[in-house]
């Protein structure tokens, strides 16, 4: 505490996600409203280790809610994987006189929070990743925007693939998780979806068999969604074309899905989670993740959060298939 004011640090870490800026804005404005000093830390944990900071005032976060990316920048920080790096980050936290550190990021960033919490840092995590792959929460900031970007691409590809009676194979981001791909497949009306969670169960031969069956039923175009964690999209498109004779095009969305104006859903969760993270520090909570489950926000202990697991309901796959006939 400095001059009686609670001092809160905020950083964004790991992969960026649309809505991170809305979360930073919420942290800063809630903090200022509650008479705290808010310190922005640049480039994630690297900035903490190097003491690369700026005090954030209300006007510093005006007009950022509708911008993708993160004004604090983000990075991966290998030093945090070492004892020296973690100790240095904790030492800087103490030198800066912080009462809490808000980390907006994914699972990896939360492992950094856990390591810091073991050295006396009070770390509060806000789930920010397009991949939705954080087990302790049903929502992660950035997911809705990434799905909408994917869906927009699918709709455009459908126009052209149906005009030419082609097959489209579209790869969606998501690292090792298939949430974005599954949501895009369902909402884009895909005929097939390949996600890491069903690797080995759904094979490329099964996809080709399905496309041939669709053709025999008179379907003129096919859409196959592939998750980044499965990969091999260009190869799959070639295989489909070689075996079926149907012109097939591959599209890999890649980092396009990381950018863009965050949707209302992302801005809403980011605003609430940013507010709740500051409130948690002021309420004396220690080392928690702000989560959204069963329609409510909650705080989950960092150790519990990191030991949780979640998986995609296999019924989603069944429904995609059921609706594609
Ligand atoms: P994300 O947070 O999006 O999952 P990463 O997995 O790349 O992204 O993690 C972001 C950063 O978090 C890493 O670069 C590293 O600085 C820190 N981090 C990841 N895992 C650990 C760990 N086990 N211990 C300490 N810090 C970690």
């Amino acid at each position: 505490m400095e001059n009686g004011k609670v001092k809160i640090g905020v950083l964004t870490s790991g992969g960026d996600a649309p809505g991170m800026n809305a979360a930073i804005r919420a942290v800063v404005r809630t903090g200022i409203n509650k008479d705290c000093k808010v310190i922005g830390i640049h480039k994630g944990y690297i900035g903490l280790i190097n003491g690369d900071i700026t005090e954030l005032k209300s006007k510093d976060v005006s007009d950022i809610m509708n911008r993708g990316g993160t004004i604090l920048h983000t990075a991966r920080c290998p030093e945090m994987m070492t004892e020296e790096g973690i100790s240095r980050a904790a030492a800087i936290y103490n030198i800066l006189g912080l009462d809490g550190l808000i980390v907006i990021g994914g699972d990896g960033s939360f492992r950094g929070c856990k390591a810091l919490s073991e050295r006396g840092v009070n770390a509060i995590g806000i789930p920010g990743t397009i991949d939705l792959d954080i087990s302790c929460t049903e929502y992660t900031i950035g997911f809705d925007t990434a799905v909408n970007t994917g869906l927009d691409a699918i709709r455009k590809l459908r126009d052209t693939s149906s005009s030419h009676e082609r097959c489209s194979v579209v790869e969606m981001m998501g690292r090792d998780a298939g949430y974005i791909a599954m949501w895009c497949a369902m909402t884009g009306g895909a005929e097939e979806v390949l996600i890491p969670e069903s690797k080995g169960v759904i094979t490329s031969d099964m996809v080709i068999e399905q496309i041939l069956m669709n053709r025999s039923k008179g379907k003129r175009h096919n859409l196959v969604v592939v998750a980044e964690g499965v990969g091999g999209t260009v190869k799959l498109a070639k295989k489909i074309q070689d075996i079926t004779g149907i012109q097939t095009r591959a599209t890999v969305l890649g980092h396009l899905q990381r950018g863009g104006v965050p949707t209302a859903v992302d801005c809403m969760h980011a605003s609430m989670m940013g507010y709740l993270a500051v409130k948690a520090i002021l309420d004396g909570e220690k080392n928690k993740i702000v989560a959204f489950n069963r329609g409510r926000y909650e705080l989950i202990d960092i150790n519990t959060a990191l030991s949780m697991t979640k998986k995609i309901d296999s019924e989603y796959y069944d429904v995609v298939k059921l609706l594609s006939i």
Side-chain angles (χ1 to χ4, degrees):
M1 210 170 298
E2 195 180 89
N3 307 326
K5 281 199 176 200
V6 171
K7 210 170 171 189
I8 295 170
V10 58
L11 60 82
T12 47
S13 164
D16 67 336
M20 280 183 161
N21 278 330
I24 295 167
R25 171 181 176 270
V27 167
V28 172
R29 297 226 163 137
T30 305
I32 290 169
N33 264 300
K34 306 237 177 238
D35 204 26
C36 305
K37 206 167 176 178
V38 183
I39 305 298
I41 299 160
H42 299 282
K43 285 206 221 167
Y45 291 121
I46 294 179
L48 182 59
I49 288 173
N50 295 333
D52 184 5
I53 60 160
T54 351
E55 183 175 352
L56 292 173
K57 298 284 179 59
S58 190
K59 68 168 174 31
D60 296 322
V61 293
S62 70
D63 236 354
I64 67 165
M65 175 118 88
N66 56 345
R67 277 161 54 192
T70 156
I71 58 158
L72 289 175
H73 302 116
T74 182
R76 299 208 150 85
C77 171
E79 291 96 312
M80 273 296 285
M81 312 297 267
T82 67
E83 290 296 316
E84 297 77 13
I86 298 164
S87 299
R88 185 163 163 80
I92 302 288
Y93 172 92
N94 288 322
I95 291 166
L96 294 174
L98 296 177
D99 299 289
L101 173 69
I102 296 175
V103 173
I104 306 166
D107 248 344
S109 302
F110 293 169
R111 278 192 284 278
C113 288
K114 177 171 150 46
L116 288 172
S117 75
E118 286 155 6
R119 285 165 181 78
V121 171
N122 182 19
I124 305 288
I126 294 180
T129 166
I130 62 168
D131 304 330
L132 200 70
D133 60 348
I134 301 179
S135 300
C136 71
T137 181
E138 286 169 15
Y139 197 76
T140 63
I141 297 165
F143 177 69
D144 189 59
T145 308
V147 168
N148 276 286
T149 301
L151 179 58
D152 183 51
I154 283 177
R155 287 175 173 162
K156 286 172 174 152
L157 286 166
R158 245 201 206 290
D159 289 346
T160 166
S161 68
S162 67
S163 301
H164 289 271
E165 302 191 1
R166 280 182 184 140
C167 173
S168 255
V169 185
V170 194
E171 183 176 311
M172 301 290 170
M173 286 201 103
R175 283 217 283 198
D176 300 326
Y179 293 98
I180 296 177
M182 184 56 83
W183 276 62
C184 287
M186 183 82 83
T187 57
E191 276 67 34
E192 269 295 352
V193 53
L194 291 168
I195 58 172
E197 292 84 345
S198 57
K199 215 171 176 175
V201 182
I202 318 291
T203 63
S204 59
D205 290 338
M206 288 160 80
V207 171
I208 289 167
E209 207 175 299
Q210 178 69 55
I211 291 169
L212 288 169
M213 205 152 75
N214 291 346
R215 185 167 60 178
S216 71
K217 285 190 203 155
K219 256 201 177 200
R220 298 200 174 276
H221 62 265
N222 282 276
L223 170 68
V224 180
V225 175
V226 180
E228 176 188 8
V230 173
T233 300
V234 175
K235 243 166 95 182
L236 175 63
K238 187 174 180 316
K239 189 171 173 185
I240 292 171
Q241 180 163 302
D242 288 349
I243 295 177
T244 65
I246 299 171
Q247 276 199 346
T248 305
R249 299 284 185 267
T251 307
V252 178
L253 294 190
H255 284 79
L256 264 181
Q257 271 183 305
R258 285 268 191 85
V261 175
T263 61
V265 171
D266 278 320
C267 291
M268 179 75 187
H269 283 298
S271 300
M272 282 305 294
M273 287 176 168
Y275 159 79
L276 290 167
V278 173
K279 188 171 176 292
I281 293 170
L282 296 176
D283 287 348
E285 297 281 357
K286 299 264 182 267
N287 304 307
K288 298 279 159 69
I289 304 297
V290 183
F292 183 77
N293 290 313
R294 295 167 298 279
R296 299 183 74 83
Y297 295 98
E298 59 181 344
L299 295 175
I300 300 182
D301 174 77
I302 182 86
N303 294 305
T304 311
L306 287 173
S307 66
M308 292 165 89
T309 53
K310 75 172 179 187
K311 58 179 187 152
I312 297 184
D313 190 339
S314 61
E315 206 170 17
Y316 282 8
Y317 179 77
D318 300 339
V319 176
V320 168
K321 298 291 299 164
L322 184 91
L323 301 182
S324 75
I325 50 162

